[in-house]
Amino acid sequence: MKDLVDIKYWIFDLDNTLYSGQTQVFSEVDKKMSSFISKKFNVDLVKAKEIQKKYFYEYGTTLSGLMNHDNIDPQEFLEFVHDIDISWLPKDKVLREELIKIKEKKIIFTNGSHAHVENVTKQLGIDGLFDGAFDITDANYVPKPHLDPYQKLIKKFDLDPNQSILIEDIAHNLEQAKNLGMKTCWLENDETFAKKDSGKPYIDYKIKNLPSFLQEINILKNN
C-alpha cells in the first residue's frame, strides 16, 4: 500500500462505505423508496418493491427509472426518501481520528443527496472533515456507474485522477474510476449486487474495514 502514501485526493462513497452496511442505515432509505412508489402509483408495498428494484438494476438508481419512465420530480423523491431518522447510528470515533490525520483533499461521491450526506456525516461525527461532496444533483441525476458523473466530479474539484483513489462498496462502480486513472478500493461485503464484478482487474485494493485501512495508510505516512 506504499503507493497510497502519495494520494492527493481521497474520494469516498457514502452509503455502506463511510458506515458499515451491517448498520442497516440504507434499509431505511430503501423502505422510504418503496413507500414513495406505493403512494405515487397506488400499489401495495410488494409491487412497489418490484418496481423499485427493476429500475435500480436497469438504470443504476431507482430515481433514474422513475424519471425516465414516470416523469417523477427528482427533488420530491430525494427529499422524501432521505428524510430518515438515524439518530441511533453511533459516532465512529476511529474513523473521525483517521480522517483528521489525512491532510489531503477528502471528497464524498454519492448517488444520494447533499441532505443525506449531511445527515449521515453528522450522525457519524465526521461532518466538517471533507472538502466537499458530489451528489446526484451535481451529476444532473445521472448516477454511478455512468461515466458522466465521474468526469463532472473531476472537473468540479479539479482532481488529478492519477493522484486519486475511490473507495466504494459496489464493485462495478470502480470500473470508470480505474479507466480514468484512479486507484480503486472495494469495501468487501456480501450483498449480491455490490460484490458482482469484485474479481475484476480494475479493483486495486480490497478491504474489510475502512477505519482500519485508513489507519494503516496513516501509519505508513509517518514512517
Side-chain angles (χ1 to χ4, degrees):
M1 295 194 297
K2 287 183 178 178
D3 55 342
L4 298 183
V5 170
D6 297 322
I7 289 291
K8 302 298 183 202
Y9 307 96
W10 290 81
I11 308 162
F12 301 88
D13 176 48
L14 179 70
D15 288 306
N16 299 330
T17 299
L18 286 178
Y19 61 83
S20 168
Q22 293 177 340
T23 61
Q24 299 297 305
V25 168
F26 195 74
S27 69
E28 297 299 314
V29 177
D30 204 57
K31 289 174 192 171
K32 294 279 291 209
M33 288 188 201
S34 296
S35 177
F36 181 91
I37 292 168
S38 175
K39 290 172 183 174
K40 276 289 178 186
F41 301 151
N42 195 26
V43 296
D44 63 29
L45 287 172
V46 174
K47 181 62 178 176
K49 177 71 77 174
E50 286 178 15
I51 296 168
Q52 177 189 342
K53 292 307 176 188
K54 179 176 184 288
Y55 286 168
F56 175 74
Y57 291 127
E58 283 184 20
Y59 292 93
T61 61
T62 300
L63 174 58
S64 286
L66 290 169
M67 289 174 67
N68 276 281
H69 281 272
D70 308 293
N71 205 27
I72 292 296
D73 175 12
Q75 281 307 125
E76 180 190 1
F77 175 84
L78 290 170
E79 285 173 18
F80 182 85
V81 304
H82 288 140
D83 183 18
I84 57 173
D85 178 11
I86 51 171
S87 55
W88 47 266
L89 183 66
K91 299 280 188 281
D92 192 333
K93 293 180 181 178
V94 178
L95 179 59
R96 177 179 173 80
E97 287 171 11
E98 298 309 321
L99 286 171
I100 288 171
K101 290 175 189 173
I102 295 175
K103 303 305 180 187
E104 294 78 20
K105 297 273 187 188
K106 298 181 287 288
I107 297 157
I108 293 172
F109 182 23
T110 177
N111 281 341
S113 66
H114 280 296
H116 187 49
V117 170
E118 289 175 19
N119 191 17
V120 170
T121 56
K122 185 176 180 181
Q123 292 302 324
L124 287 171
I126 59 173
D127 51 318
L129 299 184
F130 296 88
D131 296 278
F134 187 96
D135 83 335
I136 196 67
T137 60
D138 294 311
N140 199 27
Y141 305 107
V142 177
K144 296 179 277 184
H146 294 283
L147 178 61
D148 195 53
Y150 297 79
Q151 293 173 323
K152 281 187 167 72
L153 168 80
I154 289 166
K155 185 174 181 182
K156 179 179 179 180
F157 292 103
D158 193 24
L159 306 179
D160 178 352
N162 294 307
Q163 292 185 306
S164 305
I165 185 170
L166 174 61
I167 303 170
E168 262 274 1
D169 70 300
I170 297 178
H172 69 247
N173 282 353
L174 294 167
E175 183 174 10
Q176 299 290 12
K178 185 65 176 179
N179 290 342
L180 289 164
M182 296 182 188
K183 297 288 185 191
T184 58
C185 178
W186 180 55
L187 184 55
E188 295 180 14
N189 63 90
D190 290 324
E191 287 291 325
T192 303
F193 179 77
K195 70 180 182 181
K196 182 177 176 287
D197 297 331
S198 60
K200 293 293 177 72
Y202 54 74
I203 296 174
D204 296 315
Y205 297 94
K206 295 180 181 181
I207 62 172
K208 296 186 184 300
N209 180 281
L210 179 61
S212 297
F213 174 65
L214 298 181
Q215 201 168 40
E216 287 182 58
I217 301 300
N218 285 324
I219 288 169
L220 278 173
K221 284 182 181 180
N222 294 320
N223 284 343

